[in-house]
Amino acid sequence: MERRLELVEKQNIAILGDDQVFVRRTPGGLIRSVKGAPTLKESHGEFAVIQGKAMTTSKGFNTLNQIAGLSIITPATLQLPNGDIVVNPYPIIDEESHTITKVWCKKIAIGYSPIGNLVITSATLLYDIRMYFIQDVMKKVQFNQGSGKVCMEQMLTEKEKQTGVFLKIDGTFGVWADFTHKEILKAVETFINKKQFAERNAQSICERLAMSKHPALSHAAYVDCQGPEKQRVTKVQVIGYVHEFSKEQLMAVAEQAERGEDIVVNGKKAETISMTAEATEADFVAEADDEERAGNAEAEVIHAGGPASSSQSNGFEGGERF
């Protein structure tokens, strides 16, 4: 203990609380960096175990960002791959059902890396609900006999056309699903929930992506966890830097990054990292909205033959942010 205190004194480090947070100070007494090891809990939705891998969710990154200190910015507009400038987030509406089928979203994370240099990460995301529905139906058909089949559209009988839906994958090749099958009805309920919470979930996934690409938090995208199922926990080491940027300065930095300009702060050029991605199946599962999870759980009870009231019967029911 004496040796430890001696080392702390030499490095001019103050220990706060239960030794999880370390604060380094400059000769002038200002806090410059923070090191901590926050605990993420599966039960709190801070990470999700999918196909044996523990994936940190946006909630988990927000917990870690209390140490990292990244500022998450939502630009007013974003540029689509075809060059169009649109509002951010940008929902695409199905003309026939007048419901959301896709969402484009953009987030920017501004902050310091563990070695103290300024880094700006920019993530543009496509949240494609219809593609997730096709993937969900494919799984139902694969593992539930009689729920549907993979075929060419011209192979369908008149009865199949009347009792199910054909989802095209490529050309006239796709998957047919039987609407009378319980598992297909579950997939439809999930599809409706994804539409209902589309913009919120798209922003959560995009925010997670921006933070997961930043050097301050990139090591936390996937974690090792321990404990009983659904109660697992993990600790993640994080180094953060306290900055004194105002909201106006952060927005100016974000706008410069959007225009592709060099960003120089205190005489040093900032590093920029940009990427465009499509939400994966794992993203859809891990970033389900809390209300959406509650709706899905309610639907599971109904399909299992549990009680349902009339209101239940349809089953639908970190750093700074600017």
Side-chain angles (χ1 to χ4, degrees):
M1 177 62 72
E2 290 181 1
R3 176 60 176 164
R4 182 183 178 196
L5 291 174
E6 181 183 347
L7 291 173
V8 167
E9 184 178 356
K10 286 183 177 179
Q11 295 180 56
N12 196 17
I13 296 175
I15 302 178
L16 303 181
D18 58 1
D19 289 4
Q20 290 188 358
V21 179
F22 298 81
V23 180
R24 185 184 301 274
R25 301 177 184 275
T26 64
L30 296 177
I31 297 174
R32 301 303 302 167
S33 65
V34 180
K35 180 180 180 181
T39 298
L40 303 184
K41 298 180 180 180
E42 184 180 16
S43 60
H44 289 180
E46 293 171 322
F47 66 87
V49 179
I50 301 172
Q51 296 181 346
K53 292 184 178 180
M55 174 181 179
T56 304
T57 65
S58 60
K59 281 187 177 180
F61 273 108
N62 287 333
T63 298
L64 300 178
N65 198 33
Q66 294 177 24
I67 300 294
L70 304 182
S71 293
I72 311 302
I73 296 176
T74 305
T77 61
L78 64 86
Q79 184 173 16
L80 298 179
N82 64 4
D84 290 347
I85 305 296
V86 296
V87 65
N88 180 36
Y90 177 65
I92 297 176
I93 308 299
D94 176 64
E95 294 182 358
E96 293 189 10
S97 66
H98 303 292
T99 60
I100 295 176
T101 184
K102 298 179 183 179
V103 179
W104 282 97
C105 183
K106 183 163 192 173
K107 297 282 182 176
I108 295 176
I110 302 175
Y112 289 90
S113 74
I115 61 174
N117 60 313
L118 185 63
V119 179
I120 299 102
T121 55
S122 172
T124 303
L125 177 85
L126 172 61
Y127 184 88
D128 190 338
I129 309 166
R130 184 178 181 278
M131 184 53 65
Y132 175 78
F133 179 50
I134 293 175
Q135 292 175 322
D136 195 18
V137 168
M138 274 293 298
K139 284 189 174 182
K140 303 295 188 186
V141 169
Q142 183 179 358
F143 296 108
N144 296 276
Q145 187 175 3
S147 61
K149 63 182 181 180
V150 176
C151 62
M152 306 299 289
E153 187 174 16
Q154 54 268 33
M155 296 169 61
L156 297 177
T157 66
E158 286 303 315
K159 182 179 179 180
E160 288 171 336
K161 292 178 182 178
Q162 294 173 8
T163 60
V165 62
F166 183 76
L167 303 170
K168 292 183 179 180
I169 297 174
D170 187 57
T172 61
F173 170 71
V175 56
W176 173 79
D178 185 353
F179 280 149
T180 65
H181 197 283
K182 178 176 68 174
E183 291 300 318
I184 298 303
L185 290 178
K186 287 183 182 179
V188 172
E189 285 178 330
T190 300
F191 185 41
I192 293 171
N193 281 335
K194 292 299 179 188
K195 283 177 174 284
Q196 183 178 356
F197 299 101
E199 284 196 38
R200 214 185 304 180
N201 288 349
Q203 292 201 66
S204 292
I205 294 172
C206 193
E207 189 170 299
R208 175 193 181 277
L209 188 60
M211 285 191 278
S212 71
K213 296 303 176 183
H214 197 284
L217 293 174
S218 58
H219 65 289
Y222 291 90
V223 295
D224 294 325
C225 58
Q226 57 184 0
E229 188 175 351
K230 303 300 182 183
Q231 297 294 323
R232 289 166 284 212
V233 298
T234 186
K235 283 196 173 189
V236 182
Q237 291 282 346
V238 180
I239 296 176
Y241 281 79
V242 177
H243 62 71
E244 297 177 354
F245 292 133
S246 66
K247 176 181 176 180
E248 291 71 23
Q249 288 173 314
L250 287 168
M251 294 302 293
V253 168
E255 290 171 5
Q256 286 179 284
E258 281 285 277
R259 295 192 296 266
E261 300 174 4
D262 288 343
I263 300 168
V264 180
V265 178
N266 296 328
K268 293 185 178 180
K269 182 179 177 181
E271 179 184 356
T272 56
I273 302 172
S274 300
M275 69 172 303
T276 299
E278 186 170 344
T280 65
E281 185 178 3
D283 290 325
F284 274 90
V285 175
E287 295 297 341
D289 186 275
D290 287 342
E291 292 180 56
E292 180 186 340
R293 286 193 181 96
N296 288 339
E298 186 176 274
E300 286 291 335
V301 172
I302 295 171
H303 282 294
S309 66
S310 58
S311 64
Q312 293 174 322
S313 59
N314 57 19
F316 313 140
E317 289 297 318
E320 301 170 62
R321 284 177 174 72
F322 307 112

